[in-house]
Amino acid sequence: MVHTEIKNYFIAQYAPNPLMVKAPGRINLIGEHTDYNEGLVLPASIEKGIYFAVAPNDLNLVQIETFLTQPEKIVFKLDGSPSQFKSFWGNYFKAIIEILLSKGYPLKGMDCVFGGDIPIGSGLSSSAALCCGFIYAITQISEKELTREEIALIAQKAEHQIGLNCGLMDQYAVLFGKKGNAFLLDCKDLSHKYIPINLTGYSWVLINSNIKHNLAVDSEYNKRRISCENIVRQVQQLKTGVTSLRDITLEDLSTISNATNSTDIMRAGYVIEENQRVRDMIKALTIGDAKLVGSILKKGHWAMSTQYEITTPELDFLVTTGDQLEGVMGSRMMGGGFGGCTINLVQTAKLAKSIAALLQAYKEKTNIDAEYYHLAIDDGVNVLRT
Ligand code: GLA
């Protein structure tokens, strides 16, 4: 187990009794690119996670190390200045420490070893897990509590500082997720509730296309956000009380369509319809209608492919091929886009055969080995009792 390895490494290198924190990755059933438009999202936290072994030290240094992906040790002074580092993950820790210090947070010396089993760049929010888990771990060591809402905002700010103008879905899912439940978040007022997933006889699986993205340095994500903001500005000139796409209807879009960039209109239309797909999905899950759930997944995927233009040919191939296989109710690309995983609802009895056929077809078409993960929905960030 990764967390045992991390704990043992910590004990060998630093001190005997580390506190262990787990920060899970997240999936999203539906509601993609709606969060930064004050829309609706339906994610859940998962079993895969990042684990942190932490303990206070009296060196007045924050020492952070991983021996897994991109092995490196970075040492921060308590004024936030780091030792030289090469790994991308160092940027997240640097940003978090800077933000905490700018808020007057009483940072203390601590040692931290982290690592995990969330595939990076696969749309499972390894970076939100990294940020939220680390901030949570700091609050456990420093004994100055921050609420989960505060942690989410700091983690989001760190992403913005690094270059991804993301919303709050990932941070909230990672921090508030609950075993066995999807998490409905209304990004307009950040109210949330849990939606039980009752689909007996069906399984949720992820297929990793192994096309990796780095949203923080691929500006296509940010360009989508700019398109949405352009539309909001245009509609604001005609209608009062508009703060985001959440306040805009498809009819509003048609009134500005002649005078506006058609790509922006198409993207805004996607977001407005995606919010409706979230509402439809909740109904379908509540009545346990797997066929309807599957058809909403597919609609969501093709809207992301043709309207929002954030899928890849490989992801489209996975969805099209899945559609022809027995027992696959539906699937869609998941997360920020441009690579990563599809989420699939599959009849459990047909699972093994269909997934094997899908992976084989993918390999033949792309010459890439896709990976398959069975999805287990687990709790949000917490101290791990081992
Ligand atoms: C990334 C961002 C989220 C969200 C999704 C797309 O994961 O971090 O805020 O916008 O993409 O739904």
Side-chain angles (χ1 to χ4, degrees), residues 331-348:
S331 51
R332 65 174 200 88
M333 181 208 83
M334 198 187 67
F338 312 103
C341 293
T342 59
I343 181 166
N344 304 255
L345 182 67
V346 188
Q347 241 176 314
T348 309

Side-chain angles (χ1 to χ4, degrees), residues 26 31-33 35-36 125 164 166-170 215 221 335-336:
R26 65 105 188 88
E32 224 63 90
H33 286 256
D35 59 350
Y36 55 80
S125 272
L164 181 72
C166 62
L168 274 167
M169 168 173 74
D170 303 350
L215 295 176
Y221 179 100

